[in-house]
Amino acid sequence: MNAQSQIAPPTGMLAELTHRCPLGCPYCSNPLELERAADELDTQTWKRVFSEAAEAGVLHVHLSGGEPCARRDIVELTAHCAAVGLYTNLITSAVGLTRPLFDALVAAGLDHVQLSIQDAEPASADRIAGYDGAFARKREVAAWTTQAGLPLTVNAVMHRANISRAARMVDMAVELGARRIEVAHTQYYGWAMKNRAALMPTREATEKAVADVEALRRKYQGRIVIDHVVPDYHARFPKACMNGWGRRTLNVTPSGKVLPCHAAETIPGLEFWNVREHSIGAAWYDSPAFNAFRGTAWMKEPCVSCERKEIDFGGCRCQALALTGDARNADPICHLSPHHARVQKIAAEEAPAIAPDYIYRRLKAKA
Amino acid sequence: MSAPTATSRPRLPRGVRLKHDKVRDEWLLLAPERVVKANPVAVAVLERCTGEKTLGEIVDDLAAAYSAERSLIERDVTKLIADLADKRMVDL
Ligand code: SF4
Ligand code: SF4
């Protein structure tokens, strides 16, 4: 079989340069088992990976983490990405970014900055991040970004502590000069699953926030693009997770594992390839993990005979595993799934009256 | 934000790039988290969105280059620029 003729080239790559991060967001999408600094790929290997990604057809590269600016070679890596023609996005918490470093990144050819904002209220924002003064740093980095003429995206993850201020966070993004905001309601896996009781908002609060944010679309049309990832516990059909497994994007972890999505390692039995032994192109086209859930041949009922199977690809594999015990099942968000009642039960669950404390994301936290 | 007029000077802001992609053999407009395929007409328009020419001048240019009806070109170009401005991929 000539795999390359049937599989489209990747369009985006998330490069988790490091799992080190000064912040401790309790919903962090990094795995519970954070990779150690000693296992990180070195500068030369990352450069090779970026060159291979560009050759394989990757258009956007997202320099992420952890906090990517914790890497001392961040400027060198950014310059390399720009040199090989990648559209280069820095996903940062702002903490660890100084003015000289920022200016060097801009000069190196950075295309876009994506800044996470924890809340519109400074004290609450710092409490969520587990870092005093983080909020003020973010305002500063936003200003540098717009002064440099770079597009700024604000990323806002919504949960119990900030959901009543969802609309204010959009206003704040406009004030900061962002051209785009991602409003994402917490998805419960990894650290967020560990902190679910502390993070889960009430149903009314969620519905109000969703309506408030949607109402701002008209007001801000042409000023800010609102990408709104609505909570899927109330949906009838699942989302096409990652636009389909192995169809558009790939992740590289700090130690070089090539993953179809950041939660893929939660699925047992998948064989991931490492960039130390394989090229990005080879991992994309030929690694067992990428081919495990490509296309539709792996599906079970009800997906097999469903007309939406090429639309949502059966939803999220990691969610199917977490909630049904089998990654090949339909994502139970789907109302056709025999496990859908489980999801409804979770959705109906009341948020606790008093939220427990956060378990902050830390490198040495016990899983 | 205002709609484009004949005197707007559309330009691609920093962070929006027109690129010929060798792997797919296509012209693409790249922006934060967005990839838009650009057909030959869009490429011709976008290459002229440098902030120097007015929309009216871009239309004149294209009408001459393609010897097509000016009013039709004006309509298409205005629509394209308005759509992209809405997505914050073109500044006016
Ligand atoms: S989500 Fe928070 S803790 Fe996790 S990498 Fe981003 S800033 Fe750091
Ligand atoms: S049955 Fe499967 S393919 Fe059909 S809508 Fe549900 S998850 Fe999607």
Side-chain angles (χ1 to χ4, degrees):
Chain A
M1 185 179 90
N2 181 359
Q4 303 223 9
S5 61
Q6 293 160 31
I7 300 167
T11 58
M13 179 168 97
L14 183 84
E16 290 177 5
L17 297 179
T18 175
H19 278 163
R20 288 172 282 146
C21 182
L23 270 52
C25 309
Y27 49 76
C28 183
S29 62
N30 288 155
L32 294 173
E33 292 284 335
L34 295 167
E35 293 180 4
R36 296 170 317 149
D39 297 332
E40 289 175 14
L41 298 178
D42 64 15
T43 308
Q44 291 314 315
T45 310
W46 272 119
K47 285 188 180 174
R48 170 174 60 77
V49 166
F50 293 131
S51 298
E52 289 170 357
E55 273 162 41
V58 167
L59 301 167
H60 286 91
V61 67
H62 308 279
L63 303 179
S64 178
E67 172 50 55
C69 297
R71 288 276 308 205
R72 291 170 60 184
D73 53 4
I74 185 68
V75 174
E76 192 178 345
L77 295 179
T78 301
H80 186 79
C81 289
V84 297
L86 292 166
Y87 186 103
T88 310
N89 175 24
L90 181 74
I91 301 183
T92 181
S93 69
V95 176
L97 203 47
T98 61
R99 186 69 206 242
L101 178 58
F102 182 83
D103 290 343
L105 289 169
V106 173
L110 186 67
D111 288 298
H112 174 220
V113 174
Q114 182 169 326
L115 187 64
S116 59
I117 301 277
Q118 278 72 9
D119 202 336
E121 278 289 333
S124 172
D126 287 354
R127 193 183 81 84
I128 294 165
Y131 191 99
D132 277 345
F135 183 85
R137 302 297 302 278
K138 286 161 194 280
R139 278 199 168 276
E140 225 174 17
V141 169
W144 299 342
T145 306
T146 53
Q147 281 160 20
L150 252 65
L152 172 71
T153 289
V154 162
N155 180 273
V157 176
M158 307 310 310
H159 48 87
R160 179 178 180 131
N162 62 11
I163 194 145
S164 65
R165 287 180 291 277
R168 273 183 55 199
M169 289 173 80
V170 179
D171 294 337
M172 186 178 146
V174 173
E175 262 169 56
L176 292 175
R179 283 193 224 163
R180 185 170 156 270
I181 181 170
E182 268 179 25
V183 181
H185 294 259
T186 302
Q187 310 235 1
Y188 295 102
Y189 44 65
W191 291 90
M193 184 62 126
K194 219 174 164 56
N195 282 295
R196 199 172 82 188
L199 294 170
M200 194 158 76
T202 64
R203 189 167 183 149
E204 302 83 76
T206 302
E207 276 162 13
K208 180 166 187 308
V210 169
D212 287 354
V213 170
E214 286 303 313
L216 289 175
R217 269 186 207 282
R218 275 190 77 99
K219 175 172 171 193
Y220 288 133
Q221 195 189 7
R223 288 181 71 189
I224 194 165
V225 175
I226 301 177
D227 281 339
H228 193 185
V229 184
V230 297
D232 55 11
Y233 274 65
H234 307 295
R236 270 165 61 79
F237 294 115
K239 296 191 200 61
C241 190
M242 307 301 292
N243 293 301
W245 186 273
R247 283 184 77 243
R248 300 266 181 84
T249 57
L250 55 101
N251 279 24
V252 181
T253 75
S255 69
K257 279 179 277 184
V258 191
L259 311 180
C261 88
H262 55 69
E265 285 182 281
T266 62
I267 300 176
L270 290 182
E271 183 191 329
F272 303 105
W273 285 4
N274 194 296
V275 297
R276 295 180 208 260
E277 286 106 42
H278 299 276
S279 72
I280 288 290
W284 177 257
Y285 291 107
D286 299 324
S287 73
F290 276 84
N291 286 319
F293 301 114
R294 266 202 177 111
T296 55
W298 54 270
M299 287 180 174
K300 307 206 319 192
E301 290 293 359
C303 298
V304 174
S305 44
C306 177
E307 59 183 19
R308 288 180 57 88
K309 69 181 171 188
E310 309 258 8
I311 299 172
D312 62 38
F313 306 98
C316 170
R317 296 305 88 227
C318 309
Q319 186 149 262
L321 175 80
L323 297 176
T324 78
D326 184 348
R328 295 188 305 137
N329 277 331
D331 183 336
I333 295 298
C334 180
H335 73 291
L336 299 170
S337 159
H339 301 272
H340 186 60
R342 179 89 215 280
V343 171
Q344 284 176 314
K345 199 167 141 252
I346 294 173
E349 229 171 74
E350 268 308 305
I354 297 170
D357 288 342
Y358 293 142
I359 302 161
Y360 286 109
R361 168 242 205 247
R362 289 281 180 257
L363 218 50
K364 282 193 195 84
K366 286 200 199 77
Chain B
M1 204 144 278
S2 54
T5 65
T7 56
S8 313
R9 290 176 197 274
R11 63 185 174 84
L12 300 188
R14 177 150 184 186
V16 179
R17 284 206 258 134
L18 187 64
K19 169 180 173 166
H20 182 262
D21 176 52
K22 280 179 289 187
V23 177
R24 298 166 185 82
D25 192 20
E26 277 172 347
W27 281 93
L28 302 170
L29 189 62
L30 302 181
E33 305 285 337
R34 297 276 194 281
V35 181
V36 179
K37 281 187 199 176
N39 61 29
V41 178
V43 172
V45 175
L46 291 168
E47 281 176 339
R48 289 167 170 81
C49 289
T50 57
E52 280 146 31
K53 292 184 188 215
T54 64
L55 198 134
E57 286 162 355
I58 294 174
V59 172
D60 290 340
D61 248 27
L62 294 171
Y66 289 90
S67 53
E69 179 114 27
R70 193 184 186 285
S71 63
L72 288 182
I73 294 210
E74 181 169 32
R75 191 195 60 195
D76 289 357
V77 171
T78 308
K79 183 170 182 313
L80 175 73
I81 298 295
D83 281 354
L84 292 173
D86 239 20
K87 297 188 184 119
R88 304 273 348 234
M89 293 171 86
V90 164
D91 279 355
L92 299 175

